[in-house]
Amino acid sequence: MPTLDIEKIKKEVVDSQLWRSVFRGGVWKDTPRDRAAHIVGNVWLHLHPVKVRPRALKWSYTWGMGGISFALYLLLTLTGVALMFYYRPTVGLAYRDIKDLEFAVTLGRFLRNSHRWSAQAMVVAVIAHMVSVFLRGGYKKPREFNWGVGVLLLTLTLFLSFTGYLLPWDQLAIWAVTVGTNMAGATPFLGNEGPFGGLMGMHINNDVRFTLLGGTMVGENTLLRFYVMHCVAVPLVVGILLILHFWRIRKDSFSAAPYQANEEKVEVWPHLIKREYIAAAGVVLFIMVWSILQNAPLESIANPNVTPNPSKAPWYFVGLQELLVYFDPWIAGVLLPGLIIVGLMAIPYIDTNPKGIGVYDWKERAFANTMFMLGIVMWFVLIYIGQACRGPNYAFYPPWESWYILKAAPPSTWSVFGPAGVGALPILLGIPVIGGLFGASMLLPKLIQKELNGKVVLGGFLAALAVLAGVGMALGKFGPVSGAFMLFFGGVAFYFGFILPQRHIRSLDWPRYLVTMGLVVCTMAILLKMCARLTFNIKYVLTIPAISLNI
Amino acid sequence: MSYRKLFYAANFLLLAAFGWALFVDYATDWQHNWRHYQATYYKMAGDELDRQANEEKDPKRAADLHDQAKAMRNSPLMIRQIIVDDLGRYDRCTTCHVAMDEYTNPTLKTPAGWDNPYKGHPKVDEALVKAHPFTKYGCTACHEGQGQGTTVEGAHGHVLHWEHPMLSTKLGHIQGSCVKCHGNFETLKGAEIAAKGRALFKQHGCYGCHAINGWGQAVSVGLEAIADKPFERIAGYNYDRVRITDPEHPELGPQKLPENEWNIQNWILAHLTNDPEWVTPNDPFAELNKEPIPPSGMADYSRFVDDHDTGASELSRADADAIVAYLSGMTQEEMIPYRWHVPAPAEHEPKFADAKAHGHYVFQKYGCAGCHGLDAKAGRRRFNALGKGQADYDPKMSKEELFKNMELGREPTLPDLMGTYSHDELVAKIAGGVSAADAKKWNPNGPLPMVYMPAWKDKISKPELDDLATWLLSLAKKDDSGF
């Protein structure tokens, strides 16, 4: 029996014309030259640099979130294409095709579950990626544009998830999309129910909501439109932006970890590649196990005549839906999300602090980190309340209470500034008052030039509030819960809206200062309006029904 | 753990997870997966053919039967479905119930002792099954359930969010499917329970509050499409209060239903076997709403017929099931093809020689028993109206006391009143009705008593009114002196 010389066979295979024409290299040896060639000579990997700083490799540095988001995106594309073999986007067939996936297609249930759970995981991963990049200052010069691209990618991820949500055509789908798209109808100027919409000639059959739905309500056209957006249009745009995003990462010298003298870089092959592989494998494994163990929800077939009580948007939008309790749709659904997106994109341009690029640095970046984390915490707290604490008729149900316990209707509300008969005080007074308060809150921190003792000022403010709350409770105007709300919201708004900016950004130049304070005061306004509603049952601070403007 | 080890471990785990997914898909709940049942059937059918072969004298025939047995045992496992073009459905019931598939088992019969899902379809030799070939009608047209399903729970449809689970054959609910197409179900062999249901519906005065296709009063919901009622319209709060006895386990008594048994059949059954006042208590003390809202005005058919609590029910469980069967056919799904409908014979008014008998018929025809009781024996419950046995209203009474007294309110018990009317007075009273504004409340802060006597002059014709009055007057209670 002739002995097999493995090495010789290997060499002959690798030196053959077939192999060389495809792979272009010879036998790989474990030398620096060949390790570099692995990266440079491979179309999928060559966006990586050949060497990378060892600090950037640590899991605790990036949590791998960017790579995990991309791995999930690839998994979604793969499972999505497979699903497209079985799914037809018409109202007569969509629901039945989902049922067939569950009952008749081999691994159909597994496939659908993988797609759904990957989508939820990707939304979480993309947000986690944004948080980790922010906390590392990875958006500062020269990476401002890439951060903006990332914000766009976040928006498109949410939109992909939203359009996909409609496709099963069950009750969950149709009503979640109805809630979401009705917010579009409240767009200022372009929506038939938004401020100034009527003046622009917007009606239910020609406004921006009509464009989105392809009709006046969620129906056959909407399903087709959302299917095309979900499977073709938006993935193409996301693909283009991802190419841009990765290109800029490389061009901005890959990792933002700051230079150190005498730092020895390590080779990307194998050190970064192996971590990327393990992360991707871990993600796929996680999704597989989750998909085997838990079924994606499917309710009864969509019925436009029957509205579930309560009807909720998908979880990532339910925080905005919770804000609908306190604000009109044009604010909660259009203005605030718009401000969030624009505000996020503006951050690199208003943050001039040169410290903390590429490292986690809480001390040097106290203002930036605190304000950003306030936003993230508010976002998730509102999601939690909207998802777990809102029951039938959107009444407040603590998580331990059964939704079978009926609740009384909420107390009647009143408006502060409005036309006669609607508001307690006239509109003409309200516009300067509200505008003045807004402007004063914006200007005050910079106008007080010397550093105030935060503890003393906050303590004094809380004491004053406590006195007011006490007086109010003694007069029987409201109860202890409302008093507690006053202290909480007032304290938080004062701390984040006055004390922090006063301490940190009063030295900022005027344009940047105004933009920053504008965003900060808007955020505080949300908290204060929530307090107003919860404590005093105020519906609108200012309402001008003639132009559908209600704040 | 080195990355190399992690690499191998991760790849292995990925392969294992994929294998697990395949296993789950093919063998989950091994007993509930269709492959198990189909394979078992083929084995049983093969064994039966072998048994026949062994008893066969002719050797050629015996060999042929043995070959057939072998082929049967080796049949490939596949999903079998009946495509019902007329309904736009495909029913996969024959995937497990292979013996009910006309292509595998042309006689649709199986040896004695075979149980579901292996046994053939019952009543195969009867006109019922012959008139409804499965290739045309499928299975779910009659049995309901989730035809697309290929697991036991999924196909039988007793799962969350499937609104049309399989109808019980034991309780007779399945006969509701006859009502869907057969306008002549009342004289149809095989639809006797549904026919009884309709007769009970008329007899016990259901038309007095519920209209079907315009006939009856619109006091409560119309029932012409009750079988299509979406579950979203039934508050979980009310369904949570329903208690139904499982006929398989009567010893356990009335039980709360698990959520996958919340279907329209059980909801209707709940109305007839539970006290509607308990199931739908609403808000009589205005605790949650601005105005007090009385509980459901429907009578408690699970209890007494007249005011003396005899302990008997007005409707037995069998009666209730019959009404459920009848109402399960009340659907307006456009999907049922028009040419499937069998028209009803014209309903002629029966002729009565005796005015009293006619009057009794009229009483049932217009649903008067809905308020005045079965055969006018005793007025039904009317929350917060005046009634016998009520204490004097005292604002300091406790909530329980108040509720107990408000519950005692009744519609008028006609035998007690007929003695005070002359024939013409009675006809005028029925024709003119009693307006809602005249209702007297026992508790002035309580809800307005629901249900008032409508003006019947536009609905009941003069001769009918005359005979009705005659019959009612004959019910009048006489005192000792005979007046």
Side-chain angles (χ1 to χ4, degrees):
Chain A
M1 192 79 191
T3 51
L4 289 166
D5 185 349
I6 304 289
E7 288 303 316
K8 188 154 165 285
I9 293 173
K10 220 163 112 175
K11 189 152 195 324
E12 272 184 32
V13 169
V14 171
D15 281 342
S16 66
Q17 185 192 15
L18 187 59
W19 185 275
R20 289 272 172 156
S21 66
V22 176
F23 296 109
R24 291 175 56 208
V27 177
W28 291 121
K29 298 181 190 60
D30 193 18
T31 61
R33 177 186 174 278
D34 275 354
R35 270 173 277 168
H38 275 295
I39 303 297
V40 172
N42 185 325
V43 67
W44 316 110
L45 295 178
H46 84 286
L47 200 61
H48 291 82
V50 170
K51 287 197 172 185
V52 75
R53 272 162 280 186
R55 255 171 313 132
L57 289 178
K58 287 215 194 81
W59 289 101
S60 56
Y61 186 60
T62 59
W63 316 335
M65 277 300 147
I68 288 173
S69 305
F70 186 57
L72 283 167
Y73 185 71
L74 288 176
L75 188 58
L76 281 166
T77 310
L78 207 70
T79 51
V81 168
L83 284 169
M84 281 173 82
F85 291 148
Y86 298 102
Y87 173 83
R88 290 164 291 186
T90 64
V91 300
L93 295 170
Y95 186 73
R96 147 191 316 200
D97 287 340
I98 302 291
K99 284 280 181 182
D100 272 346
L101 275 167
E102 183 185 336
F103 288 123
V105 175
T106 305
L107 291 176
R109 202 170 50 93
F110 178 65
L111 183 65
R112 179 179 172 237
N113 291 348
S114 305
H115 195 75
R116 188 127 185 169
W117 301 136
S118 303
Q120 312 290 15
M122 185 175 169
V123 171
V124 174
V126 166
I127 294 177
H129 177 55
M130 176 176 74
V131 171
S132 107
V133 169
F134 185 96
L135 294 178
R136 267 179 289 130
Y139 58 83
K140 302 201 199 204
K141 203 166 156 139
R143 297 174 176 88
E144 307 95 320
F145 179 66
N146 211 17
W147 169 265
V149 171
V151 173
L152 281 176
L153 282 167
L154 168 66
T155 316
L156 288 173
T157 305
L158 292 174
F159 190 63
L160 271 175
S161 198
F162 185 65
T163 47
Y165 212 76
L166 179 66
L167 302 184
W169 199 247
D170 65 341
Q171 283 287 75
L172 202 58
I174 191 175
W175 293 105
V177 170
T178 302
V179 169
T181 51
N182 279 350
M183 302 237 211
T187 311
F189 299 102
L190 293 176
N192 71 307
E193 286 174 334
F196 308 108
L199 299 175
M200 299 279 293
M202 289 287 121
H203 297 289
I204 197 170
N205 58 357
N206 69 353
D207 69 344
V208 70
R209 173 176 170 273
F210 182 81
T211 316
L212 192 61
L213 294 181
T216 51
M217 35 182 272
V218 178
E220 179 99 40
N221 290 344
T222 316
L223 185 57
L224 184 58
R225 212 163 269 236
F226 271 39
Y227 178 73
V228 174
M229 283 197 281
H230 182 75
C231 300
V232 182
V234 181
L236 274 177
V237 177
V238 168
I240 292 169
L241 286 177
L242 275 176
I243 291 172
L244 188 52
H245 199 63
F246 294 159
W247 171 252
R248 282 305 301 254
I249 290 172
R250 179 64 203 284
K251 276 310 203 185
D252 296 332
S253 81
F254 206 67
S255 162
Y259 284 106
Q260 273 177 2
N262 304 325
E263 186 172 4
E264 188 68 36
K265 279 194 179 180
V266 295
E267 278 149 339
V268 166
W269 182 286
H271 295 282
L272 182 58
I273 302 297
K274 70 188 181 191
R275 284 174 170 82
E276 287 180 345
Y277 184 89
I278 295 298
V283 162
V284 175
L285 193 62
F286 173 70
I287 296 293
M288 282 173 91
V289 172
W290 189 4
S291 305
I292 295 171
L293 293 176
Q294 188 175 19
N295 264 354
L298 187 70
E299 298 193 351
S300 39
I301 193 171
N303 187 344
N305 294 321
V306 180
T307 311
N309 183 3
S311 288
K312 292 193 185 166
W315 69 267
Y316 37 86
F317 287 151
V318 93
L320 295 171
Q321 192 177 1
E322 173 62 21
L323 283 180
L324 278 177
V325 175
Y326 310 101
F327 295 99
D328 261 15
W330 73 273
I331 298 183
V334 184
L335 184 68
L336 286 178
L339 267 179
I340 291 173
I341 294 170
V342 167
L344 280 172
M345 291 211 270
I347 287 174
Y349 301 97
I350 55 180
D351 185 351
T352 54
N353 187 349
K355 301 265 175 60
I357 302 184
V359 283
Y360 292 99
D361 198 342
W362 286 86
K363 259 220 197 93
E364 298 289 349
R365 300 181 59 222
F367 181 72
N369 284 352
T370 317
M371 291 308 301
F372 185 77
M373 288 315 291
L374 173 71
I376 296 287
V377 166
M378 273 175 72
W379 177 254
F380 282 108
V381 166
L382 284 170
I383 286 179
Y384 177 73
I385 297 176
Q387 191 74 350
C389 303
R390 288 287 177 193
N393 302 324
Y394 236 68
F396 185 80
Y397 281 81
W400 52 85
E401 255 183 39
S402 160
W403 284 10
Y404 296 149
I405 299 170
L406 301 178
K407 295 213 177 229
S412 43
T413 54
W414 58 285
S415 296
V416 182
F417 295 102
V422 175
L425 300 164
I427 297 177
L428 287 175
L429 184 61
I431 297 175
V433 167
I434 303 296
L437 278 171
F438 203 91
S441 321
M442 277 181 63
L443 295 171
L444 207 56
K446 193 165 168 72
L447 292 176
I448 301 178
Q449 272 303 324
K450 76 171 173 60
E451 171 111 11
L452 296 170
N453 185 335
K455 288 199 188 75
V456 168
V457 176
L458 181 63
F461 181 79
L462 281 174
L465 265 185
V467 167
L468 274 171
V471 165
M473 281 193 267
L475 287 174
K477 289 283 180 186
F478 46 80
V481 176
S482 298
F485 277 143
M486 264 180 78
L487 277 169
F488 174 71
F489 284 107
V492 167
F494 186 71
Y495 178 73
F496 288 97
F498 177 73
I499 295 186
L500 266 188
Q502 205 278 333
R503 191 187 304 163
H504 294 283
I505 63 167
R506 65 179 190 277
S507 51
L508 214 50
D509 58 285
W510 273 105
R512 286 197 171 81
Y513 172 80
L514 285 172
V515 171
T516 312
M517 276 315 287
L519 292 168
V520 168
V521 173
C522 281
T523 313
M524 297 310 123
I526 297 175
L527 291 171
L528 289 172
K529 178 77 194 295
M530 285 173 74
C531 180
R533 178 69 147 92
L534 292 168
T535 320
F536 302 111
N537 293 321
I538 292 175
K539 187 167 163 70
Y540 295 125
V541 175
L542 170 66
T543 166
I544 312 177
I547 49 173
S548 304
L549 185 81
N550 307 310
I551 302 177
Chain B
M1 165 88 83
S2 74
Y3 271 97
R4 184 173 289 274
K5 286 211 192 85
L6 260 180
F7 176 76
Y8 290 133
N11 289 344
F12 172 74
L13 283 172
L14 281 170
L15 196 64
F18 187 71
W20 182 19
L22 269 175
F23 173 77
V24 163
D25 201 65
Y26 271 75
T28 281
D29 266 339
W30 175 239
Q31 300 303 318
H32 291 224
N33 187 296
W34 63 269
R35 288 170 217 274
H36 164 75
Y37 295 113
Q38 209 178 89
T40 309
Y41 173 80
Y42 290 142
K43 188 170 170 312
M44 284 167 75
D47 288 346
E48 174 62 20
L49 281 166
D50 269 335
R51 192 193 59 77
Q52 285 177 13
N54 291 335
E55 285 179 1
E56 178 62 43
K57 301 272 193 316
D58 177 14
K60 220 153 67 106
R61 225 143 119 87
D64 187 46
L65 279 171
H66 274 303
D67 284 340
Q68 279 185 36
K70 189 152 173 270
M72 177 63 80
R73 260 194 279 274
N74 290 335
S75 297
L77 294 178
M78 58 173 123
I79 293 185
R80 320 176 77 88
Q81 56 190 27
I82 299 173
I83 300 177
V84 187
D85 277 323
D86 291 338
L87 288 178
R89 297 183 196 174
Y90 31 100
D91 293 339
R92 299 190 174 126
C93 319
T94 48
T95 306
C96 296
H97 293 268
V98 191
M100 302 192 191
D101 176 27
E102 286 163 312
Y103 293 106
T104 327
N105 185 17
T107 58
L108 295 178
K109 291 197 196 141
T110 43
W114 284 26
D115 209 355
N116 266 328
Y118 312 112
K119 74 176 191 198
H121 196 278
K123 303 194 180 176
V124 151
D125 285 329
E126 289 184 22
L128 174 74
V129 174
K130 287 210 164 80
H132 302 87
F134 299 163
T135 43
K136 177 173 172 191
Y137 289 89
C139 316
T140 58
C142 298
H143 287 274
E144 303 216 340
Q146 191 175 196
Q148 278 177 281
T150 51
T151 61
V152 175
E153 289 83 22
H156 294 181
H158 289 279
V159 291
L160 281 183
H161 304 301
W162 187 256
E163 314 228 326
H164 298 281
M166 263 180 75
L167 294 171
S168 164
T169 39
K170 240 183 247 154
L171 299 173
H173 297 171
I174 192 175
Q175 293 187 14
S177 296
C178 313
V179 178
K180 278 194 273 202
C181 300
H182 282 271
N184 61 342
F185 72 93
E186 285 173 283
T187 49
L188 198 62
K189 182 160 178 294
E192 292 87 3
I193 297 178
K196 178 174 161 216
R198 178 149 197 247
L200 288 167
F201 193 86
K202 280 203 275 205
Q203 192 185 15
H204 289 262
C206 307
Y207 280 119
C209 292
H210 292 283
I212 294 186
N213 285 321
W215 179 261
Q217 295 291 93
V219 175
S220 180
V221 294
L223 297 179
E224 56 274 328
I226 192 68
D228 300 333
K229 183 169 177 138
F231 291 166
E232 286 291 353
R233 294 244 167 89
I234 303 171
Y237 166 74
N238 299 119
Y239 228 129
D240 197 45
R241 299 168 77 86
V242 161
R243 301 285 180 273
I244 303 234
T245 306
D246 182 358
E248 309 276 329
H249 298 280
E251 71 279 0
L252 291 171
Q255 295 285 300
K256 214 150 101 117
L257 293 171
E259 270 194 51
N260 65 345
E261 293 291 349
W262 287 16
N263 51 56
I264 200 67
Q265 278 74 32
N266 279 335
W267 182 239
I268 300 173
L269 201 57
H271 279 69
L272 302 169
T273 56
N274 283 227
D275 185 351
E277 210 177 66
W278 157 255
V279 175
T280 313
N282 291 333
D283 190 16
F285 295 102
E287 285 160 331
L288 299 174
N289 298 278
K290 289 209 172 68
E291 299 288 322
I293 302 180
S296 168
M298 180 158 164
D300 186 0
Y301 285 94
S302 69
R303 289 205 319 234
F304 43 85
V305 171
D306 55 32
D307 252 339
H308 314 295
D309 192 343
T310 61
S313 328
E314 185 167 335
L315 286 174
S316 68
R317 176 63 196 260
D319 290 337
D321 279 321
I323 295 180
V324 170
Y326 167 57
L327 291 176
S328 295
M330 294 291 111
T331 168
Q332 290 181 337
E333 276 175 27
E334 306 98 58
M335 302 237 293
I336 298 180
Y338 186 73
R339 58 188 180 286
W340 284 19
H341 283 284
V342 177
E347 227 175 83
H348 296 291
E349 279 278 308
K351 292 229 184 320
F352 290 90
D354 182 19
K356 279 206 223 131
H358 185 214
H360 188 192
Y361 174 79
V362 169
F363 185 81
Q364 287 186 351
K365 178 179 170 186
Y366 291 97
C368 312
C371 293
H372 291 292
L374 181 67
D375 298 333
K377 283 212 184 92
R380 295 205 193 266
R381 199 165 52 188
R382 189 178 181 214
F383 197 79
N384 204 20
L386 300 173
K388 279 208 275 263
Q390 275 172 338
D392 290 329
Y393 172 68
D394 176 7
K396 289 201 277 290
M397 279 172 152
S398 72
K399 218 169 85 168
E400 288 76 23
E401 284 274 313
L402 283 170
F403 191 84
K404 205 162 62 128
N405 279 294
M406 287 199 279
E407 253 200 306
L408 287 172
R410 291 283 184 274
E411 303 280 6
T413 296
L414 299 178
D416 294 342
L417 297 173
M418 290 300 104
T420 64
Y421 281 89
S422 77
H423 187 273
D424 289 334
E425 279 175 342
L426 188 55
V427 169
K429 182 82 173 187
I430 300 172
V434 178
S435 91
D438 289 343
K440 289 187 190 48
K441 289 196 216 179
W442 178 81
N443 173 0
N445 298 323
L448 188 69
M450 301 219 305
V451 196
Y452 54 92
M453 171 90 170
W456 290 98
K457 64 179 187 299
D458 293 326
K459 291 210 166 96
I460 311 185
S461 65
K462 188 74 174 54
E464 285 181 314
L465 271 175
D466 277 328
D467 288 343
L468 176 62
T470 309
W471 178 71
L472 285 172
L473 289 167
S474 73
L475 298 174
K477 266 217 216 104
K478 297 177 175 45
D479 66 9
D480 303 330
S481 60
F483 286 98

